[in-house]
Amino acid sequence: IDSGGHSNLTGGGYKLGGTVGQHDAGDPAGGGYILTGGFWSPSAGEPAPTVVWNADPLSAERTTRSLRFRLNVLPPPPQTATGSLGQSAIKVTMIDLQHPIPPNLPQFPPPDFSGYEVGTCGDPGDCARWVGKPGTFLESQDLPLGVANRAARLQCTPFYWDWVTETTSGSIAVVGAEIVPSSEYSVQAYAASCLGAETGCTNVSLAVTMYTRRSGDVGPNFNPPSTSTQPDALDIAAVVNKLKSAPGALGKAITQLQPNLPELNADVNAMDIAAAVDGVKGVKYAFSGPCVCPSTVTCGGACGAPCPAPNMCVKTCVGGANMGDPCINNTHCPLSTCGTGSCRDRCGRCTP
């Protein structure tokens, strides 16, 4: 007898799930298979993992143009023959975009991205994006076998992945044109049972509110909690140190101030320094905001002829563990090669 559903009661940061008279509960195994019985089978509603973000204003997970967080689940989920258990999708909803505190100088008002915010975007789907396939990217192009980072770009459609395992050793950096400085987001995980039926699905985690720092505010002192105006010359120096690959330099997820890079392996460059300088001067955010979903560019368009502006040509890895990741040459594609390019929109997306 299914008493009250799976996890319909929530409150105070908790969920209550209950079942009465569950038949054949457990996981008998044999011959390489596991049989899960009862109402709590993975396909019927394994709970969504919990989104974990360090809200401390001094945390390294609070950056200017990336969201960095982990996914966790307690107790650890059992393994199944289908391999679907443990997969989830991550939705990022845009709540409040580009509202710097303290405000910009009066002559430099911030760009208006309110059309993508929850309160004014119209269709709720227009306010949200999904975290796409994660990949391994280089901290320095000069060191193909050196330090790497894991990152994922936002996309228009749900992508299911074992995010708990993915983030066991550290946070994933989520990037994209939608992740802009001085902004607020809401992040939720959708369980595997939501696949194909995300709208109205209740097997989701509690929403976690996340914030990005002021543009160019890459290193201490931070605002908040400091009451002084940030960024300052120390932030410019931090970006320059990353450009020089100086020992102890901050990572790309913090110092790469250009949003929506078509090539996530690209090193910090003069445009990132310029963005930090603009932040010190109180100049408005210089980059365009979110792209519409679905993309206006059709996938498969070849780069033999220049892609129509404002489209871009993006090469991706062919095969291997990083298949589909952006690349410049074969050193960026472990176990595969860098293929020919195809047109994408300025958010690096296209529509089949």
Side-chain angles (χ1 to χ4, degrees), residues 237-252:
V239 179
V240 171
N241 284 339
K242 183 59 177 178
L243 172 71
K244 296 159 54 178
S245 295
L250 298 172
K252 279 194 204 174

Side-chain angles (χ1 to χ4, degrees), residues 3-42:
S3 176
H6 183 250
S7 298
N8 292 333
L9 301 179
T10 62
Y14 294 89
K15 282 187 177 183
L16 177 63
T19 306
V20 175
Q22 186 170 234
H23 177 63
D24 287 342
D27 297 292
Y33 293 90
I34 298 176
L35 176 64
T36 301
F39 292 109
W40 290 73
S41 65

Side-chain angles (χ1 to χ4, degrees), residues 46-47 72-80 85-87 162 164:
E46 180 67 27
N72 196 8
V73 60
L74 294 174
Q79 297 297 313
T80 68
L85 185 60
Q87 290 195 350
D162 185 354
V164 174

Side-chain angles (χ1 to χ4, degrees), residues 22 38 50 54 62 75 100 104 116 134 144 157 164 196 227 266 268 289 320 322 327:
Q22 186 170 234
T50 300
N54 188 344
R62 186 183 293 223
N104 288 353
Y116 294 94
T157 54
V164 174
T227 57
V268 166
N322 284 1
C327 61

Side-chain angles (χ1 to χ4, degrees), residues 88-116:
S88 57
I90 306 172
K91 184 172 77 171
V92 176
T93 303
M94 295 169 271
I95 304 297
D96 190 15
L97 302 184
Q98 261 297 281
H99 287 82
I101 300 175
N104 288 353
L105 298 175
Q107 63 269 37
F108 299 129
D112 183 5
F113 299 148
S114 60
Y116 294 94

Side-chain angles (χ1 to χ4, degrees), residues 9-286:
L9 301 179
T10 62
Y14 294 89
K15 282 187 177 183
L16 177 63
T19 306
V20 175
Q22 186 170 234
H23 177 63
D24 287 342
D27 297 292
Y33 293 90
I34 298 176
L35 176 64
T36 301
F39 292 109
W40 290 73
S41 65
S43 60
E46 180 67 27
T50 300
V51 178
V52 181
W53 182 69
N54 188 344
D56 188 333
L58 298 178
S59 167
E61 294 194 346
R62 186 183 293 223
T63 72
T64 63
R65 36 84 49 198
S66 67
L67 297 179
R68 304 176 70 194
F69 54 86
R70 298 181 297 108
L71 267 71
N72 196 8
V73 60
L74 294 174
Q79 297 297 313
T80 68
T82 63
S84 63
L85 185 60
Q87 290 195 350
S88 57
I90 306 172
K91 184 172 77 171
V92 176
T93 303
M94 295 169 271
I95 304 297
D96 190 15
L97 302 184
Q98 261 297 281
H99 287 82
I101 300 175
N104 288 353
L105 298 175
Q107 63 269 37
F108 299 129
D112 183 5
F113 299 148
S114 60
Y116 294 94
E117 297 173 350
V118 162
T120 55
C121 68
D123 181 355
D126 293 339
C127 310
R129 300 292 183 266
W130 299 84
V131 180
K133 178 179 178 290
T136 300
F137 303 99
L138 304 175
E139 283 290 343
S140 173
Q141 289 182 345
D142 295 332
L143 301 172
L145 299 179
V147 178
N149 65 79
R150 295 286 286 178
R153 193 191 299 272
L154 290 178
Q155 61 182 42
C156 298
T157 54
F159 175 78
Y160 285 82
W161 188 259
D162 185 354
W163 292 108
V164 174
T165 301
E166 173 69 39
T167 59
T168 296
S169 59
S171 300
I172 185 74
V174 176
V175 299
E178 289 79 6
I179 309 300
V180 299
S182 300
S183 300
E184 177 184 345
Y185 302 87
S186 178
V187 181
Q188 283 182 292
Y190 280 60
S193 60
C194 296
L195 177 62
E198 289 79 15
T199 300
C201 186
T202 59
N203 197 358
V204 301
S205 70
L206 295 177
V208 174
T209 302
M210 301 184 189
Y211 301 91
T212 52
R213 295 196 191 281
R214 190 181 182 89
S215 183
D217 192 8
V218 300
N221 294 318
F222 294 117
N223 188 310
S226 172
T227 57
S228 61
T229 301
Q230 294 292 327
D232 57 23
L234 294 177
D235 297 286
I236 298 175
V239 179
V240 171
N241 284 339
K242 183 59 177 178
L243 172 71
K244 296 159 54 178
S245 295
L250 298 172
K252 279 194 204 174
I254 298 173
T255 55
Q256 214 165 33
L257 302 183
Q258 302 171 71
N260 210 34
L261 293 170
E263 170 48 71
L264 292 178
N265 287 302
D267 288 338
V268 166
N269 59 39
M271 291 187 65
D272 298 296
I273 298 175
V277 172
D278 285 347
V280 173
K281 294 161 60 179
V283 176
K284 74 173 185 179
Y285 184 64

Side-chain angles (χ1 to χ4, degrees), residues 338-351:
C338 192
T340 58
S342 58
C343 285
R344 299 289 189 271
D345 62 22
R346 61 179 176 81
C347 288
R349 302 171 186 147
C350 60
T351 298

